[in-house]
Amino acid sequence: MGSLPRIAVTSGEPAGIGPELCLRLAGQPLPARPVVLGDRQLLAQRAAALGLAVALHDYGPEQPAPPGALEVLHVPLAAPCVAGKLDAANGPYVLALLDRALAGCTAGEFAAMATAPVHKGVINQAGVPFTGHTEYLAEKTATPLVVMMLAGETGHGPLRVALATTHLPLRAVPDAITAELLRRTLAILHADLRSKYGIADPTILVTGLNPHAGEGGYLGREEIDLIEPVLADLRARGMKLIGPLPADTLFTPPVLARGDAVLAMFHDQGLAALKYATFGRGINVTLGLPILRTSVDHGTALELAGTGKADPGSLFEAVSEAARMAARQ
């Protein structure tokens, strides 16, 4: 265990399924040394309620947990927590988990961080403007642009979908997509496919914004006036880019087989297809950060919290992929 990459795992919204998913890490044959950040008593209580015989081991950098035990870096709750019941008083606690993991990654204490789901609404109710992990970590690391990418295995091979825009109202998307944004997003995606995934010369499939990729201008001109000129410029600089392609046919096996990743223009355009194909096994990867960060591909599932029915597969894969990326770098 001592030779495996040490991964900080934030347990997320305490009223959600994050704590119990983290408990399932105990004893798993992962290529990592996971360290769960969370309230120790909360984890113990949730384990007892679910009938899980999990030994909790207090984290020490040079003292790995014994086989089968779960390493816990204690971060105290701000208020008592009941499974399935949100409390804005614990909004600062959720952010404290992220801050501690980020500090550890920045200092080299952890090789990467993997995050369980948070509830954006309750953090905002606590008085902290919060649109998501991706944006929060970008701000904290003073990273001007990061790229949200979800990935997972399908019956036809790996599927990776990055986003030009993330958590925006749909009516705001066209104005947010600029030539500069597309250039920088594609540059980050291209660079991280090489460094994080070991793909020496990646090919990226790029969607259009409009139905049928604009239908030659009859359904919108963003493809003609904006997207295609950017792709042409980057192709001249050596990138392998295919598109702009209609999103409704891009996500079919014959087209996906032509590329290593997809760049979609907005959240649901790319992630509806990916989550259909990989849900429960997919993960979220934040590209462009100075640290490595992965996450589950699902939410807090308050209705499942405390039932023991939540599937830990996505968290297992997030921790494993964080370890694999750390090894590549």
Side-chain angles (χ1 to χ4, degrees):
M1 180 69 76
S3 63
L4 295 173
R6 192 184 302 140
I7 308 299
V9 184
T10 59
S11 51
E13 167 53 51
I17 59 174
E20 58 205 75
L21 295 182
C22 290
L23 289 168
R24 304 281 185 181
L25 292 168
Q28 285 296 313
L30 301 170
R33 176 185 163 188
V35 177
V36 173
L37 280 63
D39 185 284
R40 195 182 195 283
Q41 185 177 4
L42 168 69
L43 292 167
Q45 289 173 343
R46 196 68 60 88
L50 296 174
L52 299 176
V54 177
L56 303 181
H57 178 83
D58 291 331
Y59 165 70
E62 308 306 324
Q63 299 174 339
L70 184 70
E71 278 192 86
V72 177
L73 194 168
H74 174 64
V75 177
L77 280 167
C81 176
V82 177
K85 296 184 179 181
L86 294 171
D87 186 345
N90 277 319
Y93 161 79
V94 174
L95 298 181
L97 300 177
L98 296 177
D99 292 342
R100 177 63 181 87
L102 178 58
C105 289
T106 302
E109 177 186 6
F110 300 116
M113 63 188 291
T115 57
V118 300
H119 193 285
K120 300 178 184 67
V122 78
I123 296 173
N124 280 276
Q125 288 173 21
V128 181
F130 184 88
T131 56
H133 279 110
T134 303
E135 296 84 356
Y136 185 80
L137 294 172
E139 180 181 354
K140 286 290 183 176
T141 58
T143 304
L145 180 67
V146 295
V147 176
M148 179 178 174
M149 184 178 83
L150 270 73
E153 287 292 327
T154 73
H156 301 278
L159 176 58
R160 307 179 186 96
V161 180
L163 301 176
T165 62
T166 54
H167 301 115
L168 288 178
L170 191 55
R171 69 171 61 250
V173 167
D175 290 340
I177 298 173
T178 64
E180 180 65 13
L181 174 71
L182 290 179
R183 287 193 190 94
R184 294 169 64 195
T185 300
L186 283 163
I188 291 170
L189 176 56
H190 185 270
D192 278 11
L193 287 172
R194 297 179 67 185
S195 65
K196 291 182 170 64
Y197 287 90
I199 303 171
D201 192 16
T203 298
I204 301 170
L205 308 174
V206 181
T207 70
L209 172 66
N210 298 296
H212 301 183
E215 195 79 59
Y218 289 100
L219 296 177
R221 292 193 54 86
E222 284 83 1
E223 290 76 13
I224 295 171
D225 296 338
L226 175 63
I227 301 174
E228 176 53 41
V230 170
L231 300 189
D233 177 58
L234 294 178
R235 288 189 196 106
R237 299 169 187 263
M239 283 192 198
K240 292 183 177 179
L241 306 171
I242 301 175
L245 299 171
D248 61 345
T249 52
L250 186 157
F251 290 101
T252 57
V255 180
L256 289 173
R258 300 168 63 192
D260 300 295
V262 174
L263 178 67
M265 293 297 111
F266 57 93
H267 188 281
D268 287 12
Q269 183 190 54
L271 300 193
L274 182 134
K275 290 191 178 186
Y276 174 78
T278 70
F279 196 74
R281 306 178 309 280
I283 63 168
N284 184 352
V285 182
T286 305
L287 308 179
L289 286 172
I291 63 154
L292 297 175
R293 180 258 172 167
T294 64
S295 182
V296 296
D297 69 345
H298 56 74
T300 54
L302 295 170
E303 70 282 2
L304 293 179
T307 69
K309 296 179 180 179
D311 185 348
S314 182
L315 183 61
F316 292 171
E317 183 56 30
V319 173
S320 297
E321 184 60 24
R324 289 191 289 264
M325 288 194 296
R328 293 188 193 106
Q329 293 195 324

